[in-house]
Amino acid sequence: MENRLRYSLPATCFEEALPLGNGSVGAMVYGKPGVEKISLNHDTLWSGKPKRVKKEGAYDAYIKSQALVLSGKVEEAEALIEKEFTSDFSQTYMPLGNLYIRSECEGEISDYYRELDFETAAVNVRYKQNGIAFNRKYIVSHPDNCIAVFLSSDAPSSYTFSADSQLKSITTAYQNMLFLTGEAPSNMPATDYTKTSPIEYDGSGIKFAAIGAVKTNGSISFERSELTVKDATEVYFTMCIETSFVSFDSLPVKDHYYPCRSRVEKLSEVRFSEILKRHTEDHSSLYSRIKTDFGFPISDKNTDERLKAEDKSQDLGLIELIYNFGRYLIIASSREGSEATNLQGIWNEMFIPPWQANYTVNINTQMNYWPVLMCNLAGLDMPLVDLIKKISVTGMDTAKEFYRANGYCAHHNVDIWGHSSPVGLQRPRSTQWAFWNMSAGWLCRHLFEHYEYTLDKDFLRDTAYPLMKGAAEFYLSVMIKDGENYIVSPSTSPENSYKNAEGKRLVLAKHTAMTQAILTDLFTCISKSADILGIDDDFVKKVRQLLPAFNTYKIGSQGQLLEYDEEYEEFDIKHRHTSHLYGLYPGDEITVEGTPELADACRVTLDRRGDFSTGWAMGWRVCFWAKLKDGNRALNILNNQLRFTDPKNRSTWKGGGSFLNLFCAHPPFQIDGNFGVCAGITLMLLQCEDSKIRILPALPDKFTDGSISGLKAKGNITVDIEWKNKKASRVTLESPYTQKVTLDVQGKEIKALLFANEKLVLEF
């Protein structure tokens, strides 16, 4: 398997450093011999504190804007929404700080090697300097909840440990311990407002402690804010991180310093080999569930050399590499009990990160979790479920305050405090992205998918169904009748715009394809859940009665799927968002076999949009083309996504791509593209649609021979696939449940009975 990122030089910037994480603690390792830098994060270190947003007159503005849109006065409606409906921004995911390890050795560096090993979740660095061989290993352990670093050399060497932070903080050292403590701002203005609004520290923000301890066969001394190790051939450094965050609706007052210090002191007495063993077993138990062999030789070239190559179509092993990297990133950034992955996963070293490094829930947060279930990692999606639970509480206030509606809703930005109200703060043209109340409906899709992949009926009854019902109650409160249809109006298609007959750029419409598709999707999931759970009350009857009235799909004059209620000219025909194709993916309303006319319209739409876009948008396009059963087109876009983007040369910042550490270049860095690509590659090999398990539905022609084992199909079915000469040669299915299945093996339909815990092997 392609399981390593490899380099012959240390990182010079964040986008070249290598990510480690245990779901909560994140570390970016630079691998610098002289002064090593490890940037630190904790998933609960955000600015702000619990807050409920109120907006006087918001409901009246909403009702007036609805009437204006329905009467054709869209421009007036947008101005009203911008001025009287938009409210405060979300808070910011903050960088904790940096750990530095300064080597006292001098001289020319030779034989340098740096790698991230996906199988062991370890960064390894080795080099020679002044005739001395140095080896370094870095991990972030989930079982022991710590960062662990082991430094070794074949001759006595000296090091100095220090730390700093961009936040209000202090660094001290005592005996063998290093202390970095501080606090996040109690309020952080949005990215574009920091120059005009103050960053507030009033003592009520989240506090943090990052405490490290050194064990060595050399000597240790301390002075103020530094630890110094002399004449050592082995140095073992452990660091634990805790914050005072309690919950989204409580002040951040948790005792964090002493628990953090106590854990460090205990772990520093444990051998590094023991921590490494527990860490490796834990990580491997998840990562090794899938094994890949896409039929290409494992390259002996370094990752940077491969990524910078002009023609990457000749190095198809990169596809396997970025796929396995995506799986690695899931495990590193999302664990049960952690917070959901944000725009940058858990890795951010910027005090003012792009888009607050928040949860952008009009695509990006959802995309982070697309591959989790299909990649056999159920359970690692629980942080997303917890995020939905959060907004089901805060979103009730938003539904009442802004819409006088039942249920709960959220808009396009969420933070650790469950921010659910429309952002924008009267910013010009903010209606384009701030006015979108469909995120709760979209997020609920994952809840039902969790049931479909696990068949966990308790989860469906106790968690998924109540959350889906609460989201639907909001839409039932705000939808209106439009002829034979029911619509949520006014509506936007996230972040996109169109030209009206007079050529004016507008964003509001009577309804949009995405809004109606989400309604259809949510109500369908509720109807299916009610059948499974045996529920047949008035709410379910209402849901089923309305379902046919949401279908407003229209096909335009060019054969494209219309994005809005009428055929308007696109303001930007190459726009990154393809929201109107929600029914194709992640929804399942549109399929090649079930709705061929709509599938063809999606194909035309994608041709018009083009294959180049921002990083995450190309990840979405890979998924679309896989769902359209065109593996060759999906592969072309994957190669586009692997285009080298230089973080230090903004002239390359167009058309997405990948940084040297394979982080997705939006640009700048956003992790959603990594997860979107991972999902798209999986969909090329396995799909569950039209009540069938489709084997190799979008296999590219260049994938001649290969195999993958451990994928998960709906029904909690583990699937292994082997193929030769571009055709399936062997398929193995196994499930803990006895059930009937229908397979589509590259166009051939096979019905079979699976017996619980017995493998079914099909050979072709």
Side-chain angles (χ1 to χ4, degrees):
M1 292 202 300
E2 288 272 10
N3 276 321
R4 284 179 172 83
L5 301 184
R6 304 166 50 187
Y7 306 89
S8 59
L9 293 171
T12 61
C13 62
F14 177 87
E15 294 83 359
E16 296 174 358
L18 298 175
L20 295 172
N22 65 4
S24 293
V25 175
M28 293 293 290
V29 181
Y30 281 63
K32 294 183 175 183
V35 182
E36 173 65 287
K37 176 182 177 182
I38 306 171
S39 63
L40 307 172
N41 287 103
H42 195 282
D43 66 337
T44 62
L45 188 59
W46 289 66
S47 64
K49 53 191 173 183
K51 180 181 180 181
R52 295 295 178 265
V53 176
K54 293 191 174 183
K55 178 78 172 180
E56 187 175 347
Y59 172 72
D60 291 337
Y62 170 68
I63 293 300
K64 289 177 184 176
S65 69
Q66 184 180 78
L68 287 168
V69 168
L70 293 174
S71 63
K73 299 177 181 178
V74 176
E75 209 170 357
E76 293 178 42
E78 291 183 8
L80 184 64
I81 289 290
E82 179 187 307
K83 182 179 179 182
E84 300 185 23
F85 192 79
T86 60
S87 62
D88 203 0
F89 285 90
S90 69
Q91 291 296 318
T92 300
Y93 180 59
M94 306 300 299
L96 187 146
N98 301 294
L99 171 68
Y100 301 99
I101 306 172
R102 186 172 72 246
S103 171
E104 303 303 327
C105 188
E106 297 180 352
E108 187 176 341
I109 303 291
S110 64
D111 300 331
Y112 181 91
Y113 177 80
R114 174 172 63 106
E115 71 169 14
L116 170 61
D117 185 333
F118 304 161
E119 289 188 295
T120 61
V123 170
N124 300 300
V125 175
R126 62 177 182 263
Y127 60 91
K128 290 181 179 178
Q129 187 175 24
N130 198 27
I132 302 173
F134 291 86
N135 285 278
R136 300 178 176 184
K137 185 180 287 287
Y138 310 78
I139 62 171
V140 178
S141 168
H142 182 262
D144 290 301
N145 193 15
C146 71
I147 298 170
V149 180
F150 192 79
L151 313 175
S152 65
S153 56
D154 63 5
S157 300
S158 300
Y159 308 89
T160 300
F161 291 79
S162 61
D164 65 14
S165 176
Q166 300 173 71
L167 306 182
K168 188 176 180 181
S169 63
I170 184 170
T171 305
T172 58
Y174 179 69
Q175 294 182 342
N176 71 325
M177 301 187 76
L178 185 68
F179 305 86
L180 174 61
T181 59
E183 64 180 289
S186 54
N187 183 56
M188 184 78 175
T191 305
D192 296 338
Y193 287 87
T194 50
K195 294 179 181 178
T196 57
S197 300
I199 297 168
E200 300 173 19
Y201 283 98
D202 65 8
S204 63
I206 296 174
K207 314 295 189 301
F208 68 87
I211 304 176
V214 170
K215 287 287 183 179
T216 179
N217 60 3
S219 64
I220 304 173
S221 61
F222 67 92
E223 183 176 352
R224 294 183 181 177
S225 60
E226 293 183 343
L227 291 175
T228 299
V229 175
K230 296 276 189 186
D231 301 323
T233 57
E234 291 186 353
V235 179
Y236 166 40
F237 179 83
T238 52
M239 173 174 272
C240 293
I241 300 174
E242 293 287 346
T243 78
S244 64
F245 177 75
V246 178
S247 68
F248 71 98
D249 55 357
S250 301
L251 289 172
V253 294
K254 185 181 74 176
D255 183 15
H256 60 290
Y257 176 84
Y258 288 106
C260 184
R261 179 168 181 168
S262 175
R263 195 164 78 251
V264 171
E265 289 173 340
K266 290 177 182 177
L267 287 173
S268 67
E269 299 300 324
V270 180
R271 288 180 179 274
F272 175 77
S273 59
E274 293 180 34
I275 289 180
L276 178 64
K277 182 175 183 291
R278 286 194 291 266
H279 161 76
T280 305
E281 289 175 350
D282 168 74
H283 174 80
S284 296
S285 70
L286 297 167
Y287 183 79
S288 64
R289 290 179 184 178
I290 286 178
K291 295 190 182 302
T292 59
D293 179 2
F294 291 173
F296 311 109
I298 297 175
S299 176
D300 59 359
K301 295 180 180 179
N302 288 329
T303 305
D304 50 351
E305 182 183 355
R306 299 171 72 183
L307 200 62
K308 289 179 178 179
E310 288 294 324
D311 184 7
K312 280 180 277 294
S313 65
Q314 303 305 311
D315 184 6
L316 291 171
L318 277 171
I319 305 299
E320 187 174 340
L321 184 67
I322 201 169
Y323 178 70
N324 287 326
F325 185 49
R327 296 194 302 113
Y328 165 82
L329 290 173
I330 295 168
I331 300 166
S333 62
S334 187
R335 291 292 195 104
E336 282 199 72
S338 76
E339 297 298 314
T341 50
N342 59 53
L343 280 174
Q344 295 186 199
I346 54 172
W347 299 282
N348 163 45
E349 65 176 30
M350 297 180 69
F351 185 72
I352 305 175
W355 306 286
Q356 292 80 58
N358 62 22
Y359 301 113
T360 303
V361 287
N362 63 10
I363 171 66
N364 313 95
T365 303
Q366 291 91 331
M367 183 180 282
N368 285 358
Y369 285 88
W370 284 354
V372 173
L373 296 168
M374 61 178 76
C375 286
N376 203 354
L377 292 171
L380 303 194
D381 56 335
M382 285 300 103
L384 180 65
V385 176
D386 292 339
L387 183 68
I388 301 169
K389 289 178 180 178
K390 225 179 254 190
I391 64 170
S392 75
V393 176
T394 61
M396 289 180 68
D397 290 345
T398 299
K400 291 174 184 174
E401 177 75 15
F402 287 80
Y403 300 93
R404 294 185 188 172
N406 299 322
Y408 69 93
C409 73
H411 294 76
H412 101 295
N413 281 160
V414 177
D415 58 21
I416 198 171
W417 310 109
H419 183 101
S420 57
S421 56
V423 300
L425 208 60
Q426 293 81 55
R427 178 178 172 175
R429 298 208 61 81
S430 57
T431 303
Q432 182 171 348
W433 34 270
F435 184 74
W436 187 73
N437 51 28
M438 301 304 298
S439 58
W442 186 341
L443 287 163
C444 282
R445 152 152 284 280
H446 187 89
L447 298 173
F448 187 66
E449 282 190 336
H450 183 91
Y451 166 76
E452 289 184 297
Y453 276 91
T454 63
L455 299 186
D456 184 344
K457 199 169 180 179
D458 290 341
F459 173 83
L460 181 65
R461 180 185 59 249
D462 301 335
T463 300
Y465 188 80
L467 289 170
M468 290 190 292
K469 182 178 180 181
E473 285 173 338
F474 169 76
Y475 299 123
L476 287 169
S477 295
V478 299
M479 64 178 56
I480 60 174
K481 204 167 191 308
D482 178 47
E484 297 299 314
N485 298 115
Y486 277 86
I487 61 174
V488 170
S489 183
S491 185
T492 61
S493 195
E495 303 186 37
N496 207 354
S497 56
Y498 63 90
K499 295 179 183 178
N500 67 2
E502 292 77 40
K504 292 183 177 179
R505 181 183 181 182
L506 301 173
V507 299
L508 287 181
K510 185 166 69 172
H511 60 78
T512 64
M514 175 182 245
T515 296
Q516 299 302 113
I518 291 175
L519 292 176
T520 300
D521 195 36
L522 174 62
F523 281 50
T524 299
C525 291
I526 290 172
S527 179
K528 289 179 179 178
S529 300
D531 280 339
I532 296 163
L533 298 171
I535 300 172
D536 188 26
D537 55 18
D538 290 342
F539 169 74
V540 172
K541 290 174 182 176
K542 183 69 172 176
V543 163
R544 289 172 174 160
Q545 174 193 344
L546 289 174
L547 252 174
F550 299 144
N551 185 2
T552 59
Y553 284 128
K554 294 179 183 177
I555 296 176
S557 60
Q558 306 299 310
Q560 80 278 26
L561 194 70
L562 292 190
E563 191 162 1
Y564 301 93
D565 54 285
E566 295 183 25
E567 184 168 1
Y568 300 110
E569 180 184 354
E570 294 98 333
F571 181 82
D572 176 9
I573 196 172
K574 303 296 184 183
H575 198 269
R576 61 194 179 279
H577 284 264
T578 41
S579 304
H580 45 319
L581 305 194
Y582 176 96
L584 177 64
Y585 193 79
D588 54 14
E589 183 185 4
I590 300 174
T591 66
V592 170
E593 186 177 81
T595 56
E597 187 178 9
L598 290 176
D600 286 342
C602 291
R603 191 173 286 107
V604 173
T605 298
L606 289 168
D607 282 334
R608 289 161 60 87
R609 276 289 200 267
D611 291 353
F612 281 96
S613 191
T614 57
W616 64 262
M618 287 197 288
W620 201 358
R621 282 159 168 75
V622 173
C623 295
F624 284 140
W625 283 111
K627 289 288 287 181
L628 290 171
K629 312 302 182 284
D630 192 337
N632 292 330
R633 188 71 170 267
L635 181 60
N636 287 341
I637 299 172
L638 282 168
N639 285 326
N640 294 344
Q641 178 62 41
L642 286 164
R643 183 183 68 87
F644 169 59
T645 301
D646 187 347
K648 293 170 283 189
N649 182 3
R650 286 181 175 261
S651 66
T652 69
W653 282 30
K654 189 175 182 180
S658 297
F659 295 119
L660 278 189
N661 59 6
L662 280 195
F663 270 169
C664 166
H666 176 60
F669 160 52
Q670 280 188 202
I671 204 167
D672 37 35
N674 291 101
F675 295 130
V677 160
C678 187
I681 294 170
T682 307
L683 290 171
M684 293 160 71
L685 305 173
L686 180 71
Q687 294 179 25
C688 300
E689 65 175 20
D690 299 326
S691 301
K692 298 176 182 177
I693 299 173
R694 300 190 187 276
I695 306 296
L696 304 181
L699 189 71
D701 289 339
K702 291 184 177 180
F703 281 48
T704 308
D705 304 307
S707 66
I708 188 165
S709 64
L711 292 178
K712 189 68 76 170
K714 292 179 180 180
N716 203 347
I717 300 169
T718 304
V719 182
D720 303 342
I721 307 169
E722 298 176 26
W723 65 92
K724 293 181 180 179
N725 297 320
K726 297 182 288 187
K727 297 289 184 182
S729 58
R730 183 184 177 97
V731 177
T732 305
L733 309 174
E734 185 176 13
S735 171
Y737 307 104
T738 296
Q739 57 185 303
K740 294 179 180 178
V741 296
T742 301
L743 300 177
D744 180 314
V745 185
Q746 291 173 299
K748 181 181 179 181
E749 186 173 301
I750 300 171
K751 295 184 181 296
L753 176 63
L754 281 182
F755 291 99
N757 301 311
E758 292 186 12
K759 288 185 178 182
L760 174 66
V761 180
L762 302 172
E763 295 187 344
F764 304 92

